[in-house]
Every structure is written in structure tokens, then in C-alpha cells.
Amino acid sequence: EGSGDTAQALDDVSAIYRQRLERAVDRVTTLVTPIAELLIGAVVFVFAYSFMVPLIEHAVGLFRM
């Protein structure tokens, strides 16, 4: 019966650590996701801006002639 108690205790400890890990992952995900979205948005904005500015300048130059 002693080994059954030990196994149950180990199961309880592993369940506790599993719950702690899940909570920690949820906290990190909650923090990292908005930061990653902002970074990706900034990169997309820089690429779009770098393509649009020369196109607009060229279009303005065509209408000035």
C-alpha cells in the first residue's frame, strides 16, 4: 500500500506543476501576443510606406509636366 500512496502523491505533485505551467504559459501568451502583433504591424507599415512614397512621388511628377 505504500507504493500506491507514493504514486498518488507523485500524481498530485505532477498535477500541481502542470497547472502552474499552464498558468505561466497563459500569462506569457497574454503578454507576448500584443507585442508581436505591434511589431508585425510596424514592419508591414514600413514596407508599405517604402513602396507607396516613391509611387506617389512619381505620380506627382507625372502630373506636373
Side-chain angles (χ1 to χ4, degrees):
E1 190 175 318
S3 64
D5 291 340
T6 304
Q8 182 61 37
L10 288 175
D11 285 341
D12 293 342
V13 170
S14 69
I16 290 169
Y17 280 116
R18 188 178 311 114
Q19 290 171 352
R20 286 184 181 179
L21 177 64
E22 288 173 0
R23 284 195 306 263
V25 168
D26 287 342
R27 277 188 247 124
V28 169
T29 302
T30 302
L31 180 67
V32 170
T33 301
I35 293 170
E37 289 176 353
L38 288 173
L39 288 174
I40 291 170
V43 169
V44 169
F45 175 77
V46 167
F47 277 122
Y49 187 80
S50 68
F51 281 107
M52 292 303 294
V53 168
L55 288 174
I56 292 171
E57 289 174 352
H58 182 67
V60 168
L62 287 175
F63 288 118
R64 285 187 184 167
M65 290 182 178

